[in-house]
Amino acid sequence: MAESDGVLTLTFSGTWRIDRPSPDLSPIRAALGKSPAPKTLAFESAKVTDWDSRFLTQCRAILALAKAHGVTPDLSGLPAGAKSLLELAEKVPERQGAARKEASTPFLTRVADMAFGAWQGVHNLLDFVGDVTLACLALAGGRAVFQRSNLFALIYQAGVEALPIVSLISLLVGLILAFVGAIQLSQFGAQIYVSTIVGIAMVRVMGAIMTGIIMAGRTGAAYAAELGTMQVNEEIDALRTFGFSPTQFLVLPRMIALVLMMPLLCIYADIMGILGGFIVGVFMLKINPIQYLTHTWQSVPLANFWIGLVHSTVFGVLVAMAGCYRGMRCGRSALAVGQATTAAVVTSILAIIIATAIITVACNIIGV
């Protein structure tokens, strides 16, 4: 940096790339602000070997300082490309409001936005539940419109294709319950009561809960992804255009399939869980197989079986509605489909836990 006859000349040299640190502009600011101030700001860049946007950024900052102090810039000493870009930047001023500004939202505004979002979510949910109710009434009256062949495919998908994972998880849960119970009961010589623990736990609630969680992660997520993709591809809009109800055509068969299959899968999960306890009781605790099965049959009341079926039916409704609701409310992007799928699983599991608590309290009140 040198000054002569009212001309302040800045000399650039070396490499000016974005990976290099920015120089301090304090000496330039001091030179432009002194009295008397230079009349012209010139540049010398013959020794610059390489440059990119970092060089332009520094030049723009220096030109801004010169403009603030009323100094006239002379760009003739800059590289031709940099000179053209800087002149173009001066000719096209920055649009007001184009720059991103980090503004702090007031606390009450954030609370109001959260409350409005929650209310909007409740409104959308009630609207969806109303559409599903009307679709069920249309089904009861024989007026629901959907593809029967699609219904059978959904039943197969939600039922037969889910058997392997339900078998594995239920068998392992039965093994775990029996093993944990055996550790405690063996201290009192009451190993036979392992069959009671496993039988009541699986038949009353665990079979239904494990099946519901499996179906939430498997089928509920699939429903959300399928309907979300249809929303992105505007297939749901096409159904509305042709006069079809998307709730009847898409949501209703999925709900029917899951509600029909959940009790059957729950019974199957109960059997696999009892089988897991049977394996531990016979091969680890050396209990007679006939004695184990007989004690299980005698110690598990039939009311527990019906309670488990009620659980599974409710879970089927909740998982199907959560998956379909998130899919129908999906945005129109690939990211929105992923978010809808994740939200469907989380909503389904949360609904299963809440429903389990409500049904348990209700059964306790009525003494079942």
Side-chain angles (χ1 to χ4, degrees):
M1 182 173 58
E3 183 177 357
S4 176
D5 298 330
V7 178
L8 179 64
T9 304
L10 301 180
T11 303
F12 296 92
S13 62
T15 300
W16 288 77
R17 299 191 64 84
I18 197 166
D19 56 345
R20 300 298 179 89
S22 301
D24 185 14
L25 299 181
S26 301
I28 301 176
R29 184 181 295 105
L32 292 174
K34 70 178 184 179
S35 181
K39 299 180 180 179
T40 306
L41 176 65
F43 298 90
E44 176 59 42
S45 60
K47 297 181 181 180
V48 175
T49 57
D50 193 13
W51 60 274
D52 61 5
S53 59
R54 169 58 58 81
F55 183 67
L56 297 176
T57 303
Q58 293 299 318
C59 291
R60 284 295 304 275
I62 294 172
L63 292 176
L65 291 175
K67 184 177 181 181
H69 291 85
V71 178
T72 303
D74 180 10
L75 305 182
S76 59
L78 292 175
K83 178 182 177 182
S84 300
L85 291 174
L86 291 173
E87 291 177 347
L88 179 62
E90 289 296 327
K91 292 178 181 179
V92 182
E94 181 180 356
R95 187 177 59 186
Q96 295 295 327
R100 180 179 298 179
K101 298 180 180 180
E102 296 293 337
S104 177
T105 306
F107 174 74
L108 293 180
T109 303
R110 294 198 301 269
V111 172
D113 290 341
M114 292 174 60
F116 179 77
W119 168 251
Q120 190 66 36
V122 172
H123 179 271
N124 293 337
L125 179 60
L126 293 178
D127 185 44
F128 178 76
V129 172
D131 290 341
V132 172
T133 303
L134 293 177
C136 293
L137 293 177
L139 176 66
R143 295 176 286 104
V145 179
F146 58 88
Q147 291 180 318
R148 266 60 179 178
S149 59
N150 189 32
L151 173 61
F152 291 120
L154 290 170
I155 290 175
Y156 182 83
Q157 177 190 9
V160 177
E161 293 184 358
L163 288 178
I165 185 65
V166 172
S167 303
L168 177 62
I169 298 299
S170 301
L171 182 67
L172 292 177
V173 169
L175 286 168
I176 293 170
L177 289 175
F179 186 76
V180 173
I183 294 176
Q184 301 301 321
L185 293 175
S186 60
Q187 300 178 10
F188 307 98
Q191 294 91 330
I192 189 61
Y193 289 101
V194 168
S195 62
T196 303
I197 294 175
V198 175
I200 293 179
M202 291 300 302
V203 172
R204 186 179 181 94
V205 65
M206 285 303 298
I209 287 181
M210 296 312 302
T211 304
I213 292 177
I214 292 170
M215 300 308 288
R218 181 187 178 277
T219 306
Y223 289 171
E226 291 170 2
L227 297 181
T229 304
M230 295 179 71
Q231 184 80 345
V232 172
N233 295 334
E234 299 183 354
E235 297 176 46
I236 296 178
D237 295 336
L239 287 174
R240 292 193 180 96
T241 302
F242 283 110
F244 293 101
S245 170
T247 306
Q248 293 184 17
F249 201 82
L250 299 175
V251 177
L252 191 58
R254 286 169 170 78
M255 286 194 61
I256 295 174
L258 204 53
V259 171
L260 289 178
M261 288 296 102
M262 276 294 291
L264 299 179
L265 290 174
C266 177
I267 295 173
Y268 180 74
D270 294 343
I271 296 173
M272 296 304 297
I274 292 174
L275 177 60
F278 177 83
I279 293 173
V280 173
V282 172
F283 294 99
M284 178 180 171
L285 303 179
K286 308 302 179 182
I287 302 175
N288 183 276
I290 303 300
Q291 183 183 6
Y292 185 94
L293 294 175
T294 303
H295 195 271
T296 300
W297 180 265
Q298 294 175 349
S299 60
V300 180
L302 187 60
N304 291 331
F305 174 77
W306 295 113
I307 292 174
L309 290 184
V310 171
H311 276 90
S312 62
T313 304
V314 173
F315 295 165
V317 174
L318 294 176
V319 170
M321 290 191 66
C324 294
Y325 171 73
R326 294 298 182 180
M328 296 290 286
R329 293 290 175 179
C330 176
R332 299 184 183 272
S333 65
L335 176 62
V337 174
Q339 292 174 342
T341 305
T342 303
V345 177
V346 174
T347 304
S348 300
I349 295 177
L350 181 62
I352 287 172
I353 300 302
I354 295 175
T356 303
I358 294 174
I359 295 175
T360 302
V361 172
C363 291
N364 184 56
I365 292 174
I366 63 179
V368 180

